[in-house]
């Protein structure tokens, strides 16, 4: 038996498991990500020649595979949302983005500075990296497949999905702020970078990302549904892999224009969805995207489980673990609740929305990206340990509680979950 034979067998088992597990775990108090994390840890502990992924040594590889996973999931999230964007219709999302995310960054940074005695740049990096949420890791708290009716989306699932779709891109300016702060610390703590950062990274790149996403989305919407040439009207051919073309095109265009590609992908998906909202082609695109996303997520979580079991948390101190648990159990719930004060959502919906801010693949990408821009004085192992532990804790805690909590909320509202178990 060679190592390549083992790899092929493992990939086959993993792909089949990614297809079967969503049906097995549906309506049960655990999730598919939990299974793949446990599987990765279990395989690592077996007497097999399985290498451990080192996110420090393999940083470039980790950055790009997590990058692909994030943009595919963003396309899927945008295509699934039925509700047209608007100030009032997306009020819950704007509240979480405008209040919860900045407060989370600030409080987490202060905790890292106070409890871990990390320099301000490293503390800010940790706060920015852990700011994005990722409901992809718990199917119960994200919207289902696209439908014709806006009312199919309950407020909790819609708010968490749309928040994650946007904050995966809006966290980027704060990651870049940490990079700029680290660079300025090496030259004497100059504050001269702040003006350029605010104008370019905070405002300019956000605007470019949104504009690029809207332009690509409108172009593809015309092409898919209204082009005179039948060969261009891809909605008539119902080919799902076109979703990957839309994903990579919107991301690539935005990045070439020096904008935020994550924002562009989600905006492009929402714009494409609005081009012909009731067309069945959206469901085909979404289903294909979801399948690719599921495979990539399973693969990455399997590797994360192996990393944890192989000693990836050796650099984790109790203070770092405390920061992670405070973020998951206190900081996100409290800031999420504050953001929704005065909103139209009921108290139960506010609590669930505040609590279920999962941390996931986006955090892994941002850390890999940032450490490629600056070494931040060398605490890479400690940063990876605390981020990996935070994702692990979030996957387990939210994975165990999501099904019973959301099911009870649906019963109290007199509704059912949006969609049947995966077919």
């Amino acid at each position: 038996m060679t190592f390549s034979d083992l790899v092929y067998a493992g990939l086959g088992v993993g792909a089949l498991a990614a297809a079967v597990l969503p049906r097995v775990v549906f309506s049960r108090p655990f999730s598919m990500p939990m299974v793949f994390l446990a599987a990765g840890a279990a395989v690592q502990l077996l007497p097999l020649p399985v290498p451990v992924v080192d996110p420090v040594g393999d940083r470039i590889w980790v950055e790009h595979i997590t990058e692909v996973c994030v943009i595919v999931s963003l396309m899927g999230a945008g295509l699934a949302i039925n509700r047209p964007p608007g100030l009032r219709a997306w009020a819950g999302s704007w509240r979480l983005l405008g209040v919860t995310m900045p407060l989370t960054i600030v409080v987490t940074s202060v905790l890292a500075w106070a409890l871990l005695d990390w320099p301000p740049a490293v503390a800010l990096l940790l706060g920015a990296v852990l700011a994005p949420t990722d409901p992809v890791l718990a199917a119960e708290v994200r919207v289902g497949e696209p439908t014709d009716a806006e009312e199919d989306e309950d407020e909790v699932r819609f708010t968490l999905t749309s928040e994650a779709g946007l904050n995966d891109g809006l966290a980027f300016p704060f990651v870049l702020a940490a990079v700029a702060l680290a660079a300025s610390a090496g030259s004497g703590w100059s504050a001269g970078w702040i003006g350029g950062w605010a104008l370019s990274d905070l405002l300019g790149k956000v605007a470019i990302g949104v504009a690029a996403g809207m332009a690509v989305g409108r172009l593809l919407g015309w092409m898919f549904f209204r082009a005179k040439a039948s060969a261009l009207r891809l909605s008539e051919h119902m080919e799902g892999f076109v979703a990957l073309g839309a994903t990579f095109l919107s991301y690539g265009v935005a990045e070439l224009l020096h904008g935020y590609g994550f924002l562009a992908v989600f905006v492009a998906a929402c714009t494409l969805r609005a081009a012909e909202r009731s067309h069945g082609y959206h469901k085909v695109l979404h289903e294909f995207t979801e399948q690719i996303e599921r495979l990539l997520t399973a693969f990455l979580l399997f590797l994360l489980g192996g990393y944890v079991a192989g000693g990836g948390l050796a650099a984790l101190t109790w203070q770092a673990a405390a920061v992670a648990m405070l973020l998951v159990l206190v900081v996100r719930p409290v800031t999420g609740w504050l953001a929704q004060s005065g909103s139209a959502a009921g108290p139960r919906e506010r609590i669930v929305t505040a609590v279920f801010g999962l941390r996931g693949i986006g955090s892994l990408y941002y850390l890999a990206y940032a450490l490629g821009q600056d070494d931040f004085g060398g605490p890479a192992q400690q940063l990876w340990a605390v981020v990996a532990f935070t994702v692990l804790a979030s996957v387990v805690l939210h994975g165990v509680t999501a099904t019973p909590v959301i099911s009870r909320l649906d019963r109290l509202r007199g509704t059912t979950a949006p969609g049947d178990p995966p077919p």
Side-chain angles (χ1 to χ4, degrees), residues 382-404:
Q382 294 94 328
L383 280 164
W384 276 111
V386 68
V387 170
F389 179 76
T390 305
V391 174
L392 176 67
S394 182
V395 168
V396 173
L397 292 174
H398 293 124
V400 168
T401 57
T403 294

Side-chain angles (χ1 to χ4, degrees), residues 109-196:
S109 301
V110 170
L111 287 173
W113 172 74
L115 294 180
L116 304 178
D117 196 27
W118 281 357
V122 182
L124 176 59
L125 175 64
L126 184 67
V129 161
L130 293 176
T133 56
D134 190 354
V136 168
L137 298 184
E140 294 81 2
V141 297
R142 71 172 189 256
V143 297
E145 62 186 22
T147 65
D148 295 342
E150 297 176 25
E151 59 272 13
D152 283 351
E153 295 170 342
D154 68 84
E155 193 62 30
V156 171
R157 291 180 176 91
F158 165 76
T159 301
L160 288 172
T161 303
S162 56
E163 176 204 12
L166 288 167
N167 70 14
D168 265 330
L170 292 176
F172 228 126
F174 302 98
V175 173
L176 294 178
V179 173
L181 182 59
S184 72
S187 60
W189 291 106
S190 169
W193 61 272
I194 296 178

Side-chain angles (χ1 to χ4, degrees), residues 330-350:
V330 180
V331 177
R332 163 65 192 207
V334 171
T335 58
W337 175 265
L338 290 174
Q340 299 175 86
S341 298
S343 70
R348 289 190 294 263
E349 285 77 9
R350 294 182 201 173

Side-chain angles (χ1 to χ4, degrees), residues 87-98:
L87 291 178
R88 296 186 63 182
W90 288 41
S93 312
W94 307 135
R95 286 169 175 266
L96 292 177
L97 293 167

Side-chain angles (χ1 to χ4, degrees), residues 6-32:
L6 185 64
V7 171
Y8 285 128
L11 289 174
V13 171
L16 291 171
V20 171
L21 281 174
R23 299 159 181 80
V24 174
V25 304
F26 187 81
S27 297
R28 289 180 172 84
F30 59 93
S31 63
M32 186 187 78

Side-chain angles (χ1 to χ4, degrees), residues 51-410:
V52 178
V53 173
D54 177 13
V56 177
D58 303 321
R59 187 202 63 78
I60 295 178
W61 182 88
V62 172
E63 177 185 340
H64 289 305
I65 192 65
T66 52
E67 181 180 32
V68 172
C69 186
V70 170
I71 62 176
V72 170
S73 68
L74 289 173
M75 176 59 66
L79 290 172
I81 291 176
N82 298 321
R83 193 179 304 185
L87 291 178
R88 296 186 63 182
W90 288 41
S93 312
W94 307 135
R95 286 169 175 266
L96 292 177
L97 293 167
V99 178
T100 300
M101 190 178 75
L103 284 179
T104 298
I105 294 172
V106 170
V107 175
T108 305
S109 301
V110 170
L111 287 173
W113 172 74
L115 294 180
L116 304 178
D117 196 27
W118 281 357
V122 182
L124 176 59
L125 175 64
L126 184 67
V129 161
L130 293 176
T133 56
D134 190 354
V136 168
L137 298 184
E140 294 81 2
V141 297
R142 71 172 189 256
V143 297
E145 62 186 22
T147 65
D148 295 342
E150 297 176 25
E151 59 272 13
D152 283 351
E153 295 170 342
D154 68 84
E155 193 62 30
V156 171
R157 291 180 176 91
F158 165 76
T159 301
L160 288 172
T161 303
S162 56
E163 176 204 12
L166 288 167
N167 70 14
D168 265 330
L170 292 176
F172 228 126
F174 302 98
V175 173
L176 294 178
V179 173
L181 182 59
S184 72
S187 60
W189 291 106
S190 169
W193 61 272
I194 296 178
W197 168 82
L199 185 62
S200 175
D201 297 334
L202 185 61
L203 299 177
K205 292 183 179 182
V206 168
I208 292 171
V210 172
M214 291 180 66
V216 172
R218 287 179 178 175
L219 174 63
L220 294 179
W222 169 84
M223 175 179 166
F224 290 179
F225 303 106
R226 299 185 181 89
K228 293 183 179 180
S230 176
L232 294 178
R233 258 192 336 271
L234 295 178
S235 60
E236 296 182 358
H237 307 286
M238 304 295 275
E239 293 172 326
F241 72 87
V242 173
L244 290 181
T247 302
F248 295 134
L249 178 62
S250 53
Y251 185 76
V253 167
E255 291 292 322
L256 286 171
L257 295 173
H258 303 289
Y260 293 132
F262 286 178
L263 271 179
V265 172
F266 184 73
V267 171
C270 293
T271 305
L272 179 59
R273 181 83 171 88
E276 192 71 34
R277 194 165 292 278
S278 61
H279 201 287
Y281 191 41
H282 293 299
K283 184 176 179 180
V284 175
L285 295 172
H286 175 263
E287 287 178 348
F288 184 86
T289 304
E290 187 177 40
Q291 291 168 1
I292 301 300
E293 170 199 302
R294 195 187 303 169
L295 286 171
L296 290 171
T297 302
F299 176 63
L300 285 169
L301 289 174
F302 181 87
L303 294 180
L304 180 61
Y307 168 72
V308 170
L313 300 185
L316 185 73
T317 64
W318 72 264
Q319 294 96 332
V323 171
M325 297 308 295
L326 285 170
L327 168 65
V328 174
L329 299 177
V330 180
V331 177
R332 163 65 192 207
V334 171
T335 58
W337 175 265
L338 290 174
Q340 299 175 86
S341 298
S343 70
R348 289 190 294 263
E349 285 77 9
R350 294 182 201 173
I351 292 173
V352 175
T353 302
V355 168
F356 283 95
L358 281 79
R359 267 57 192 174
I361 306 302
S363 295
L364 304 179
Y365 165 75
Y366 275 126
L367 182 56
Y369 172 84
L371 292 176
Q373 305 301 307
D374 194 292
D375 66 2
F376 287 84
Q381 295 289 354
Q382 294 94 328
L383 280 164
W384 276 111
V386 68
V387 170
F389 179 76
T390 305
V391 174
L392 176 67
S394 182
V395 168
V396 173
L397 292 174
H398 293 124
V400 168
T401 57
T403 294
V405 169
I406 295 295
S407 297
R408 177 169 174 77
L409 184 62
D410 287 336

